[in-house]
Amino acid sequence: MKKSLQLTILAVISMFILAACGSDGEKESGSDSGGEKYIIGATQILEHPSLDAATEGFKKAIEDAGINAEIDYQSAQNDMNNVAVIADKFVADGVDLIFANSTPSALGAQNATSDIPILFTSVTDAVDADLIESMESPGGNITGVVDLHPDAIEKTIEFIDQYFKDAKVGVIYNAGEQNSVAQMKAIEEIADGTSLTLIERTVATSADVQQAAMSLAGDIDVFYIFTDNTVVSALDSVVDIANEQQIPLIVGEPDSVELGGFASYGFDYYSIGYRTGEMAAEILKDGKKPSEISAEYPPELKLYINKEAAEAQGIEWNTDWDDAEIIE
């Protein structure tokens, strides 16, 4: 009787263990290669194409490096409370490394731990956000790849000034996003002295974006939507208004060009995620510390143009753009 009871208890425990392993849909395994297995906590502020591409690039680099890793992916759903909860969970779970995809996610991870290695990407200005001491010598337990090329905003403003002279430029951003405030400051500084006039609207949530765009439509000649997470997550509403009112829509990255923006100076977010994954390999396989890996800028910029969007927004084609990367 006693032996039968022991066998029953063992069977129940085994069932619970199997159920726990099979029910975790948020975790993904990396390479099946042997060796030590690592747990990586991966998080981003919300889902949109650029951030998603960076996460996929990171995962691919981990796979290509032959790292045996379980990736626990968590989205904060654009909720700052969730950012802290996710970071604290990673620390409590004792993950080996945190991949933080966005400025809020990186700040949340940094606030949660000074010991676990943190790698960021899709961060606009890591120094200004107090994530790192400098690009060359990040210090602490964090480094990564920023998503703002030093020339991106300057080239974009020059493009608007050259092809839409004397334009009133409507800009929408979330003043609660530190990366957006930094970009807006740079835009104002670079636009000063050009023929352009900036007209700003701020939003708090993605639900506010459509109304902000509508309020600008009658007063502007060009929209400029940079890489603000809140606004980009509701870009379709800006695209609809730009097309209806035939207002050129300049955007901050190629994924937004694919979604209906007219033009952008940018790069592939997959590439910066992949490079961040390579940094993870340096930490997990080679034993480097984040402080020993310089933070990096994205690769060389290209001009991306959506010809269908140009037509929808009433833009006459210029032969200067023939060499651009055309997105259909």
Side-chain angles (χ1 to χ4, degrees), residues 3-266:
K3 185 175 181 180
S4 175
L5 179 61
Q6 289 174 334
L7 289 173
T8 301
I9 292 171
L10 285 171
V12 171
I13 291 172
S14 297
M15 289 174 63
F16 273 114
I17 292 172
L18 288 171
C21 292
S23 64
D24 192 353
E26 294 296 322
K27 294 181 179 178
E28 301 179 21
S29 293
S31 170
D32 292 329
S33 63
E36 185 175 356
K37 184 171 185 178
Y38 299 96
I39 300 176
I40 298 174
T43 181
Q44 60 192 58
I45 185 64
L46 79 172
E47 285 84 14
H48 70 63
S50 295
L51 296 183
D52 296 344
T55 295
E56 289 307 309
F58 177 83
K59 291 177 182 177
K60 179 60 175 170
I62 294 296
E63 178 185 337
D64 288 350
I67 295 173
N68 187 8
E70 181 181 89
I71 299 178
D72 183 1
Y73 170 78
Q74 303 286 336
S75 168
Q77 302 297 325
N78 209 22
D79 186 328
M80 292 306 298
N81 292 322
N82 290 341
V83 168
V85 170
I86 290 167
D88 289 341
K89 175 184 182 297
F90 288 159
V91 174
D93 290 346
V95 300
D96 298 293
L97 182 142
I98 297 174
F99 170 63
N101 187 9
S102 72
T103 301
S105 300
L107 288 169
Q110 184 186 49
N111 289 336
T113 179
S114 58
D115 299 316
I116 298 172
I118 302 168
L119 291 174
F120 62 74
T121 196
S122 308
V123 167
T124 298
D125 190 333
V127 176
D128 189 62
D130 291 327
L131 287 168
I132 58 176
E133 295 172 9
S134 71
M135 294 291 287
E136 297 77 16
S137 301
N141 62 319
I142 184 168
T143 189
V145 184
V146 299
D147 71 346
L148 182 62
H149 191 285
D151 300 328
I153 291 176
E154 183 175 1
K155 282 183 171 290
T156 302
I157 294 298
E158 286 176 354
F159 180 88
I160 300 172
D161 192 34
Q162 180 176 355
Y163 298 108
F164 304 96
K165 204 77 174 174
D166 299 318
K168 294 179 180 178
V169 181
V171 186
I172 307 171
Y173 68 101
N174 183 349
E177 286 191 28
Q178 192 166 2
N179 63 317
S180 298
V181 174
Q183 288 188 81
M184 193 65 232
K185 181 179 178 182
I187 290 167
E188 290 170 342
E189 290 175 355
I190 294 168
D192 186 33
T194 69
S195 69
L196 307 176
T197 302
L198 301 177
I199 303 177
E200 304 173 23
R201 294 289 188 275
T202 59
V203 296
T205 71
S206 57
D208 302 328
V209 173
Q210 183 179 33
Q211 182 59 42
M214 289 177 64
S215 73
L216 284 169
D219 299 323
I220 63 170
D221 306 298
V222 176
F223 277 114
Y224 177 21
I225 303 300
F226 55 82
T227 55
D228 178 284
N229 292 314
T230 302
V231 180
V232 172
S233 69
L235 186 67
D236 56 340
S237 61
V238 185
V239 171
D240 288 344
I241 292 168
N243 291 348
E244 289 171 6
Q245 303 293 324
Q246 293 208 315
I247 300 171
L249 173 56
I250 310 298
V251 290
E253 26 73 37
D255 289 313
S256 291
V257 177
E258 288 188 19
L259 293 174
F262 158 55
S264 170
Y265 277 97

Side-chain angles (χ1 to χ4, degrees), residues 54 121-122 145-147 267-277 298-299:
T121 196
S122 308
V145 184
V146 299
D147 71 346
F267 52 87
D268 183 1
Y269 269 68
Y270 183 95
S271 67
I272 62 172
Y274 191 94
R275 176 60 191 130
T276 310

Side-chain angles (χ1 to χ4, degrees), residues 275-296:
R275 176 60 191 130
T276 310
E278 292 178 326
M279 291 178 173
E282 294 181 50
I283 292 169
L284 298 176
K285 293 181 71 175
D286 302 336
K288 285 189 176 182
K289 298 177 180 178
S291 59
E292 298 172 335
I293 305 173
S294 295
E296 297 181 13

